[in-house]
Amino acid sequence: MSSANAKRSRRAAFGDEDEEGDGVTIVQASSSLRNDTQRKKARTSNAGPSKQSAWTSRQESDESTSEDEAMQEAPEEPPTPPGPTQYETLRDAEFKHLEHTDLDDQRATQRLKNRPHILGENQVALNAIIESIVCCNFMCHTKLVVSLGPLINFIVGENGSGKSAVLTAITLCLGGKASATNRGGSLRSFVKEGQENASLTVQIKNQGPDAYKPDQYGESIFVERHFSKSGSSGFRVKSATGKTISTKKSDVDDIVEYYCLQVDNPLNVLSQDNARQFLNAASPAAKYKYFVQGTQLEQLDQDYQLLQETLEANEMRLLVFEENIEFLKEKSEKAVKLRDALTKSAEMRRQSKVYMNQLAWAQVMEQEAILQQKEDAIRAAQDEINQMETTIVEKTEDLEAIDRKVQEAKQAVDALRLEEGQLKESEEEAKSKYLKAKELVAKTHTQERDIHQQITNASARVKDYEKKIREEERRLEEMNGGALAKKQNELEDAKRAVEDIRESQKTHAERSASLADERNEAQKKAEDFEEVVAQKRREVSEAKSRLQTLSQNRTDPFAGFDRKVPELLRLIDRDDGFSKKPIGPIGLHIQLLKPKWSSIIEKILGGTLSAFIVTSKPDQVRLSSLMDRLGVRNCQIYIGSKTPINSLREPDRNLDTILRVLKIDDPCVRDQLIIHHHIEQTILIEDREEGERVMFGDQPPENASICLTFHDVRRGHGLRLTRRGRDIATSPVTPNYEQKPRMKSDDVESQINYFRDSVDQLGEELRELETSKRALQQTVQRSVQAINQHKKQEANFEKDLRIAQARVTHIEEELDKFEGADNKLLGLKNELHEAQGQKDHYGNQFGELAMQKQEMNREVESLQHKHSEAKVALKDYRAKVAKAEDKVKRFEETRRVTLVEKNQAYENLALAKAGKEEAEASRQRQADHVANYIQQASEVAPERAYIPEGETVKSIERKFESIKDQLKKIRSRLGASDEEIQNRATQAVQEYREAKKAHKNLTSLVDELKKALMDRLRKWRTFQRLISAHARCNFNYLLSERGFRGELFLDHRAKRLRVQVEPDETRKSSSGRNTKTLSGGEKSFSSICLLLAIWDAMGSPLRCLDEFDVFMDNVNRAISTNMLITTARRSVGKQFILITPNAIEGRANIDKDVRIIRLIDPRQRLLTGH
């Protein structure tokens, strides 16, 4: 617990406030009528008075028959007090706040139990500690220096050693009265015999956070008081460095009151006589007086009584004021009537002069108003000039930006055109290769016909030789019988079988290529279809995701934008540096009227929906810096034109356009979409065929540059149809399903239902595609199976051919046996064999040529496909070029519009300057005219007359003529001079006003005093109740330290404090004995307990007690001394100065917080030379 918190705290006495708000925190119980500079006032809570009583008559038990009870004296009967005054009745409020003494005692006891027990841990306060006292020529001491400890001080010494002089010096040096010390009636009596002057010095510790003016005084304050035999007296307040800060007693009082030292409090500095009276001989009335003085209840009561007397005196003054005010009112009314009669004519003459002056200057004001209009016209012209100059600067910047865009667009066109030659060369090269391959196929076809003719000729020769061989064989058969013929027939059959097998192989080989082509084609179709199915799956997934996002974020307008956009908008709203607040994101300002076009229009408008619009380059830079700070990406910033686009070239009203299906709440947003996307010329037609008919027909619609249609099959996809002259183009519009919707819809549910239908249709399309995919996979499997079967059959043909050729060889060997010497047949057979060889040769050539032709046909198809691709690439390239050229045209059109606006601004600037010159010339003429009027008016009235609002020259002129007529009719007949009548009226009115004001102020003062008095009395009663309960409980608690029990009776009604003590706590039936029946030690011990109980209820950091143990025996002296030390240690941070002529050692628990100061008799100091 710091000293700052412990210093002057009354929480040790009362604890924290309980649940009923009866707790009180008191820093100082002091009068509020004193000087309050840097004072620490007594504070009580605002809780209302408790319905408790302070005095309940205790019934004393008659059952005890002990000797002590028999000796107990009857309670002293107080004299009958006079009846209570009105103030006392108001203050005490029938003592209702003291009706519940038991409850008050219970709470006070609880607070005592709950207070911390920190014996042995006493701490030194940082301020309000008296560190030393120096007395010069004071009483019987030439120089007495006493250095005090910060906590517990025992000053021990023989009589005359200066013990009591220490307390007297503290009281006098800190501003106390001489009579309060009981040592003398005036200061001169304290000057040492034989000396003329005396001085006292007290050093006060001044440290810590709540030190008194530490900047001036430092860590110590020295208070000096000088006085003399002649009666003069003075103070001097010094800082720690010895510098004199003040010589005023009021400053000493401020310091004493700030630290609540209370040197005038008889219980705070208990002198020798007061201690003897309080501890031994005080009556109940005297003890009560000590109690109310020590707790400052009496001082507060006196202050409040003074306040009540002041209040009553002021109420009496109010009655006198009310009578006087009526008299002064009648007096002032009569004087005013007489003055009005006097001043009527004079007032009218003055008014006539005023009207004449106003008439002259009113004409000046009329001319000045005209001059002001011309000044306003000049300012308006200058404002228009400034505006036009600003517009010119902005349009110049816009033109520079547009020129850059035009240049960039043209460079893009030039870059594209560089690709034209390469693409044309690729197309021509592909075409050349295709034509060459086609020509080669034609030549091969011619060769095929020639070889076919050679085969036909060779076949004829073979047949001729075969005929001749048959005839020769017939001739030989006739010669050799029928065996040869039979063998020859067998040979023919065997050869025919070989030819049949070879023919079958040939046919089978021709089928092999077609089967491979069928398989490859089926595999290619399946692979291509696999990509289509995967794409459709992605579309279904993206559509479902888009539907889910739209359903979840139907109430979040920022779902489709960067997540930092809401924070960006808040920064923009708080930023006052923009010339005009940016608009954006653009999508927030657009409402889609037809949700079915949502995905296509989102794709067409693209990043523009996330863009912002500003009106100047500085605003663009400022907004860009905000985006960079937040990390917002992919948000373009457009600089919008201040001139709206009013003339639009739109197609027929029967056609929907993007502009017509959008509801845009800001014209700047609409203009940007028109500039960048031509939304006013982009028509919307749901059916593709209808769109192609409209766009590609003989008469395309006017002002329609683009047509958007739905895809025939793929729901949500679209087609972009364009036509520029004879060039027509169709390109797909593929929606970005990953992008969440950024445009609002007037019917979100309709938009959700549309996307739900799209998901359903895409799912149906996916299922159809998967069915077709499975059919293609089955076709591939059948093709593979056919190829495998074909290869198996080819192996069988090879086997059959080998068998047939072996049979031919066998038969020929048998025929050789029938051949004779005639070689004619052999020659014919050789020729046949040669002819057959030629036939086979041509046949092989024909077969190879057929295979070559088939390969060439495939190559021609490939080259034809490449040629088509080259044509498509060239077509796409031309479309890109057309788009780039269209972009150049749009930028050039924007440049043209901006240039027109800039030229118009120059024209307006020239007109504004001409208008300003004309207005300045007119202003100068009017200024000369006004100067002439002012000169004429000054001749009438040198100073400008005030013209009331709403008055004109004609109205003032009418008033002037009217008052001239009235002045002719007025005649004054008065009984006194003008000056006397004026003075009497002025004086009477002034007296009446001052009386009313004084009455009002006094009434207010009385009301405030009543309110303050009632509030202070309520707090006084609360303070009286709680401090009484605390004293009672603490007294009983201190008695218990020695095993005593007793009671403290506080009768606030009779103003008595009575103590009953029972030294034997085992006598439970006894109510206690009067202190007069106690032994001397018991009586002193009980008085010490009473004093400590009252001390604990006081808020001063200083406790002084002189000769407390004079009438005690050694046992009670030791107990009392230890009790004082224990109590002092519980009062953390407080300084105790205890004076005794007896030795302390051996009868007290002395620790480092106890300082024993021994004083020597001055006579002994004289003898010892000290």
Side-chain angles (χ1 to χ4, degrees):
M1 178 177 180
S2 66
S3 59
N5 293 330
K7 185 168 68 68
R8 295 169 302 285
S9 173
R10 298 302 291 272
R11 295 190 182 273
F14 302 109
D16 296 329
E17 294 184 13
D18 57 20
E19 64 276 10
E20 297 183 7
D22 291 328
V24 178
T25 301
I26 303 171
V27 175
Q28 177 187 359
S30 176
S31 168
S32 65
L33 301 179
R34 301 177 184 176
N35 186 7
D36 58 357
T37 303
Q38 289 241 6
R39 66 185 299 181
K40 296 186 177 180
K41 299 181 180 179
R43 299 191 182 274
T44 61
S45 67
N46 288 328
S50 174
K51 299 178 179 180
Q52 300 179 5
S53 173
W55 179 262
T56 303
S57 178
R58 310 281 182 168
Q59 299 294 329
E60 298 183 358
S61 174
D62 294 352
E63 297 177 359
S64 175
T65 59
S66 66
E67 182 180 353
D68 290 339
E69 291 175 345
M71 294 175 65
Q72 183 175 341
E73 297 180 2
E76 178 179 320
E77 291 293 336
T80 303
T85 65
Q86 180 180 359
Y87 164 74
E88 291 174 342
T89 302
L90 187 67
R91 178 198 66 194
D92 297 333
E94 299 180 0
F95 294 97
K96 290 183 179 180
H97 60 291
L98 303 175
E99 290 178 354
H100 301 285
T101 308
D102 294 339
L103 183 58
D104 291 341
D105 291 351
Q106 181 180 354
R107 291 176 178 171
T109 302
Q110 188 65 32
R111 285 191 289 268
L112 283 175
K113 289 181 179 180
N114 292 337
R115 72 180 179 181
H117 298 278
I118 53 174
L119 289 177
E121 297 180 7
N122 202 352
Q123 297 181 9
V124 177
L126 295 177
N127 47 46
I129 297 298
I130 296 177
E131 295 180 314
S132 66
I133 302 104
V134 179
C135 305
C136 295
N137 298 328
F138 182 68
M139 298 176 70
C140 61
H141 305 282
T142 303
K143 186 172 184 180
L144 176 63
V145 179
V146 179
S147 296
L148 299 175
L151 296 172
I152 305 170
N153 297 272
F154 283 96
I155 301 178
V156 181
E158 300 294 335
N159 291 334
S161 60
K163 302 188 302 299
S164 301
V166 173
L167 298 188
T168 305
I170 291 174
T171 302
L172 295 177
C173 189
L174 296 182
K177 297 178 181 179
S179 58
T181 64
N182 293 327
R183 291 298 184 118
S186 63
L187 284 175
R188 68 181 69 184
S189 62
F190 291 99
V191 180
K192 184 180 179 182
E193 288 294 334
Q195 301 294 328
E196 292 297 325
N197 300 302
S199 67
L200 302 173
T201 302
V202 173
Q203 180 183 354
I204 303 174
K205 189 176 182 180
N206 188 49
Q207 301 176 10
D210 57 346
Y212 181 78
K213 297 181 180 179
D215 295 339
Q216 292 185 15
Y217 293 100
E219 296 185 351
S220 295
I221 300 176
F222 291 88
V223 179
E224 296 180 1
R225 187 168 189 179
H226 304 269
F227 48 92
S228 63
K229 285 279 189 180
S230 62
S232 62
S233 174
F235 289 89
R236 186 178 293 118
V237 185
K238 296 182 179 181
S239 66
T241 60
K243 179 182 177 181
T244 300
I245 304 299
S246 174
T247 57
K248 298 179 181 178
K249 183 179 183 298
S250 61
D251 290 331
V252 177
D253 293 338
D254 289 342
I255 295 172
V256 171
E257 188 167 2
Y258 179 81
Y259 284 130
C260 197
L261 295 176
Q262 300 182 17
V263 294
D264 282 336
N265 191 329
L267 287 186
N268 197 44
V269 181
L270 205 61
S271 64
Q272 195 175 82
D273 295 335
N274 286 338
R276 185 181 302 109
Q277 177 69 22
F278 179 78
L279 295 177
N280 297 288
S283 65
K287 288 178 179 174
Y288 182 84
K289 185 172 183 64
Y290 277 118
F291 174 79
V292 295
Q293 287 177 347
T295 57
Q296 290 204 325
L297 282 170
E298 183 180 70
Q299 181 63 47
L300 290 173
D301 180 44
Q302 292 172 358
D303 291 343
Y304 299 158
Q305 191 168 1
L306 178 62
L307 181 61
Q308 173 68 16
E309 293 172 358
T310 303
L311 183 62
E312 293 174 354
N314 285 330
E315 287 178 340
M316 294 300 298
R317 288 179 61 197
L318 280 176
L319 296 176
V320 176
F321 262 121
E322 291 172 358
E323 296 176 357
N324 192 30
I325 285 174
E326 289 297 325
F327 171 75
L328 293 176
K329 183 179 179 182
E330 294 177 2
K331 179 180 177 182
S332 66
E333 288 176 351
K334 293 179 181 178
V336 167
K337 287 181 181 179
L338 186 61
R339 183 187 62 187
D340 291 343
L342 170 67
T343 59
K344 186 174 182 181
S345 60
E347 180 66 26
M348 292 181 69
R349 286 193 296 272
R350 287 194 298 272
Q351 191 63 37
S352 174
K353 180 64 175 176
V354 169
Y355 284 153
M356 183 172 64
N357 296 343
Q358 288 180 349
L359 185 61
W361 285 102
Q363 299 178 57
V364 173
M365 284 187 62
E366 284 187 349
Q367 298 302 318
E368 287 178 340
I370 297 174
L371 179 61
Q372 184 61 41
Q373 292 176 359
K374 296 186 180 298
E375 292 282 356
D376 294 341
I378 293 174
R379 281 194 294 272
Q382 184 61 45
D383 291 342
E384 186 176 1
I385 290 172
N386 296 337
Q387 183 179 0
M388 289 301 105
E389 289 176 347
T390 303
T391 301
I392 289 171
V393 171
E394 291 176 353
K395 294 305 175 184
T396 302
E397 293 177 354
D398 293 345
L399 277 176
E400 291 175 356
I402 294 172
D403 287 339
R404 288 194 298 272
K405 291 182 179 179
V406 170
Q407 187 64 28
E408 291 173 358
K410 286 183 178 180
Q411 290 176 356
V413 172
D414 295 339
L416 284 173
R417 283 176 177 164
L418 293 176
E419 301 175 5
E420 183 176 12
Q422 183 179 356
L423 290 173
K424 282 185 176 180
E425 289 178 2
S426 299
E427 191 270 339
E428 290 174 358
E429 181 180 357
K431 182 178 180 181
S432 175
K433 289 181 179 180
Y434 167 67
L435 294 177
K436 287 181 180 179
K438 194 173 181 181
E439 183 180 356
L440 186 59
V441 169
K443 289 180 180 180
T444 304
H445 187 64
T446 302
Q447 291 178 0
E448 185 181 25
R449 287 200 303 270
D450 293 342
I451 293 174
H452 187 272
Q453 184 63 40
Q454 294 292 337
I455 292 173
T456 302
N457 294 336
S459 297
R461 289 196 300 274
V462 168
K463 289 179 181 180
D464 183 54
Y465 286 125
E466 286 177 348
K467 181 179 178 183
K468 290 179 179 180
I469 289 172
R470 283 194 300 272
E471 288 178 352
E472 181 63 22
E473 287 177 347
R474 197 166 38 250
R475 185 181 65 79
L476 292 174
E477 183 180 357
E478 288 177 356
M479 291 175 61
N480 298 321
L484 180 60
K486 184 179 180 182
K487 287 294 181 184
Q488 287 179 343
N489 289 333
E490 289 179 1
L491 180 60
E492 291 295 330
D493 292 338
K495 289 182 177 180
R496 194 178 299 110
V498 171
E499 290 297 328
D500 290 340
I501 292 171
R502 285 179 175 172
E503 188 65 29
S504 297
Q505 280 185 325
K506 181 179 178 181
T507 304
H508 191 72
E510 292 176 355
R511 176 63 178 159
S512 177
S514 62
L515 287 176
D517 291 341
E518 290 176 2
R519 181 197 61 187
N520 294 336
E521 183 178 359
Q523 287 179 341
K524 187 175 184 304
K525 287 182 179 179
E527 292 173 356
D528 294 342
F529 213 76
E530 179 67 30
E531 180 61 29
V532 173
V533 173
Q535 177 64 28
K536 184 60 69 176
R537 284 200 189 97
R538 287 195 293 272
E539 291 179 5
V540 171
S541 176
E542 291 169 353
K544 288 181 179 179
S545 176
R546 186 181 180 92
L547 176 61
Q548 182 179 4
T549 300
L550 188 63
S551 301
Q552 293 176 350
N553 300 317
R554 65 178 68 189
T555 59
D556 185 6
F558 299 102
F561 302 98
D562 190 293
R563 61 187 180 86
K564 294 292 186 67
V565 165
E567 187 175 356
L568 175 62
L569 293 178
R570 288 193 291 271
L571 285 179
I572 292 173
D573 186 58
R574 294 195 295 265
D575 195 333
D576 297 330
F578 292 100
S579 59
K580 183 179 180 183
K581 293 292 185 182
I583 302 170
I586 288 178
L588 287 181
H589 299 272
I590 300 175
Q591 182 177 349
L592 183 60
L593 302 179
K594 293 187 177 182
K596 57 188 174 182
W597 290 100
S598 174
S599 58
I600 296 177
I601 295 179
E602 284 265 0
K603 180 67 176 180
I604 293 298
L605 300 183
T608 304
L609 294 176
S610 300
F612 284 76
I613 304 173
V614 297
T615 57
S616 65
K617 186 67 175 178
D619 286 356
Q620 183 187 35
V621 173
R622 192 176 193 88
L623 179 57
S624 178
S625 66
L626 292 180
M627 290 181 176
D628 292 341
R629 189 199 311 172
L630 294 177
V632 177
R633 300 289 183 266
N634 301 323
C635 281
Q636 302 179 26
I637 304 175
Y638 299 126
I639 299 179
S641 174
K642 295 183 180 179
T643 304
I645 300 175
N646 296 322
S647 59
L648 299 178
R649 294 181 297 171
E650 296 186 80
D652 189 85
R653 287 283 179 186
N654 296 325
L655 296 174
D656 276 344
T657 63
I658 294 180
L659 178 61
R660 291 170 183 168
V661 300
L662 299 180
K663 183 179 180 182
I664 303 172
D665 61 9
D666 193 286
C668 292
V669 173
R670 185 204 65 164
D671 294 349
Q672 289 299 318
L673 294 178
I674 289 172
I675 293 171
H676 293 284
H677 299 283
H678 298 285
I679 61 172
E680 84 285 9
Q681 295 182 355
T682 302
I683 63 176
L684 305 175
I685 299 176
E686 297 182 13
D687 184 65
R688 178 188 59 80
E689 294 181 355
E690 178 65 18
E692 290 178 347
R693 185 188 65 78
V694 172
M695 288 298 294
F696 301 157
D698 295 335
Q699 292 183 344
E702 294 183 358
N703 301 325
S705 59
I706 301 172
C707 176
L708 299 177
T709 69
F710 290 142
H711 197 280
D712 292 339
V713 179
R714 304 177 69 180
R715 186 178 180 88
H717 290 242
L719 296 174
R720 177 189 179 102
L721 310 179
T722 58
R723 177 171 183 171
R724 290 179 179 83
R726 295 182 179 181
D727 295 334
I728 59 176
T730 301
S731 58
V733 179
T734 304
N736 182 9
Y737 287 112
E738 296 180 356
Q739 173 64 54
K740 299 175 184 178
R742 292 168 289 178
M743 295 184 293
K744 298 179 291 185
S745 176
D746 58 344
D747 188 357
V748 179
E749 292 300 327
S750 298
Q751 191 173 10
I752 292 174
N753 293 333
Y754 171 75
F755 280 107
R756 187 177 289 114
D757 294 341
S758 298
V759 170
D760 294 340
Q761 181 172 350
L762 289 172
E764 184 63 30
E765 293 175 0
L766 177 60
R767 288 190 290 273
E768 292 177 358
L769 289 175
E770 287 177 341
T771 301
S772 301
K773 173 188 171 184
R774 287 193 294 271
L776 287 174
Q777 290 175 344
Q778 292 173 0
T779 302
V780 171
Q781 291 177 357
R782 286 196 297 270
S783 300
V784 172
Q785 290 174 359
I787 290 174
N788 293 335
Q789 186 66 29
H790 183 75
K791 290 180 179 179
K792 186 176 180 181
Q793 190 174 2
E794 183 179 1
N796 292 334
F797 280 142
E798 289 291 340
K799 181 180 179 182
D800 293 341
L801 180 61
R802 287 194 300 271
I803 294 171
Q805 287 176 344
R807 186 170 180 272
V808 168
T809 302
H810 178 70
I811 294 174
E812 284 180 347
E813 290 176 354
E814 289 182 352
L815 281 176
D816 290 340
K817 297 177 181 180
F818 289 99
E819 292 180 0
D822 191 355
N823 291 326
K824 183 179 180 181
L825 180 60
L826 182 59
L828 290 173
K829 286 183 178 181
N830 290 333
E831 290 177 357
L832 175 61
H833 182 70
E834 183 180 353
Q836 187 65 44
Q838 290 180 353
K839 179 183 176 183
D840 291 341
H841 173 70
Y842 289 130
N844 290 334
Q845 284 186 345
F846 183 81
E848 291 175 357
L849 194 61
M851 293 293 291
Q852 184 179 1
K853 180 181 176 183
Q854 189 176 9
E855 185 66 29
M856 292 174 66
N857 284 331
R858 284 197 292 270
E859 185 178 359
V860 167
E861 290 178 359
S862 175
L863 292 173
Q864 185 180 12
H865 180 69
K866 290 181 179 179
H867 182 218
S868 299
E869 289 180 348
K871 289 172 66 177
V872 171
L874 184 60
K875 183 178 180 181
D876 291 343
Y877 160 75
R878 287 173 178 167
K880 289 182 180 178
V881 171
K883 185 177 180 180
E885 290 175 345
D886 181 62
K887 187 176 182 180
V888 171
K889 291 179 181 178
R890 291 202 308 271
F891 283 141
E892 289 177 344
E893 177 64 19
T894 304
R895 185 185 185 283
R896 185 190 65 78
V897 173
T898 306
L899 185 60
V900 169
E901 293 173 350
K902 179 180 178 181
N903 294 336
Q904 184 65 41
Y906 272 112
E907 294 178 4
N908 294 338
L909 178 62
L911 292 174
K913 288 182 177 179
K916 181 183 177 183
E917 292 176 357
E918 182 179 352
E920 288 175 344
S922 178
R923 187 270 309 270
Q924 187 58 43
R925 291 193 297 272
Q926 183 63 25
D928 297 338
H929 200 46
V930 168
N932 187 23
Y933 268 80
I934 290 175
Q935 182 181 358
Q936 296 179 10
S938 299
E939 295 175 357
V940 176
E943 295 184 0
R944 179 181 288 266
Y946 169 73
I947 308 299
E949 186 177 356
E951 295 290 352
T952 63
V953 174
K954 292 184 179 180
S955 65
I956 295 173
E957 188 175 7
R958 287 194 299 270
K959 291 180 180 180
F960 179 66
E961 295 296 332
S962 174
I963 203 169
K964 282 176 62 178
D965 295 338
Q966 293 179 24
L967 284 172
K968 294 178 182 178
K969 301 176 182 178
I970 294 177
R971 298 290 183 270
S972 61
R973 295 179 181 178
L974 301 173
S977 67
D978 293 353
E979 184 177 359
E980 291 175 351
I981 294 173
Q982 289 285 355
N983 292 338
R984 284 201 297 266
T986 301
Q987 183 178 359
V989 171
Q990 183 66 24
E991 289 175 353
Y992 174 62
R993 289 177 179 174
E994 290 178 354
K996 283 182 64 178
K997 183 178 180 181
H999 180 268
K1000 181 179 178 181
N1001 293 338
L1002 187 58
T1003 302
S1004 176
L1005 175 62
V1006 168
D1007 292 340
E1008 292 296 327
L1009 286 176
K1010 285 181 179 179
K1011 182 178 178 182
L1013 179 62
M1014 296 305 295
D1015 185 60
R1016 290 171 182 265
L1017 289 178
R1018 177 179 60 80
K1019 293 182 179 180
W1020 184 88
R1021 288 193 293 272
T1022 302
F1023 178 55
Q1024 182 192 52
R1025 173 171 62 88
L1026 295 179
I1027 205 167
S1028 300
H1030 182 75
R1032 287 194 298 268
C1033 295
N1034 202 23
F1035 174 70
N1036 204 9
Y1037 170 75
L1038 293 171
L1039 286 176
S1040 67
E1041 293 285 329
R1042 193 183 169 191
F1044 286 20
R1045 63 182 179 85
E1047 281 191 87
L1048 179 66
F1049 295 97
L1050 275 168
D1051 186 353
H1052 292 289
R1053 192 186 299 271
K1055 298 182 179 179
R1056 296 290 186 272
L1057 188 153
R1058 186 162 55 87
V1059 177
Q1060 287 186 349
V1061 178
E1062 176 56 56
D1064 185 3
E1065 64 176 350
T1066 60
R1067 300 177 63 185
K1068 301 297 182 181
S1069 61
S1070 175
S1071 61
R1073 292 153 49 190
N1074 191 289
T1075 55
K1076 293 181 179 180
T1077 66
L1078 299 175
S1079 66
E1082 292 173 344
K1083 183 185 299 182
S1084 298
F1085 174 75
S1086 301
S1087 299
I1088 288 294
C1089 291
L1090 176 60
L1091 176 63
L1092 293 178
I1094 298 175
W1095 268 3
D1096 198 33
M1098 292 166 55
S1100 175
L1102 180 64
R1103 308 280 192 271
C1104 300
L1105 178 60
D1106 192 1
E1107 296 191 358
F1108 62 91
D1109 57 349
V1110 174
F1111 300 101
M1112 296 183 185
D1113 55 26
N1114 290 333
V1115 174
N1116 285 305
R1117 183 177 292 116
I1119 293 173
S1120 299
T1121 303
N1122 286 325
M1123 182 180 293
L1124 283 170
I1125 294 174
T1126 302
T1127 303
R1129 286 172 177 164
R1130 286 199 182 101
S1131 303
V1132 177
K1134 294 196 169 42
Q1135 186 180 29
F1136 286 77
I1137 302 175
L1138 307 173
I1139 297 175
T1140 176
N1142 302 303
I1144 296 299
E1145 293 82 353
R1147 63 184 175 99
N1149 297 323
I1150 299 174
D1151 202 346
K1152 59 183 180 180
D1153 58 343
V1154 177
R1155 176 179 288 187
I1156 300 175
I1157 304 167
R1158 299 186 180 279
L1159 299 182
I1160 303 174
D1161 191 310
R1163 291 166 293 181
Q1164 295 181 10
R1165 286 199 297 267
L1166 186 61
L1167 294 175
T1168 59
H1170 295 289

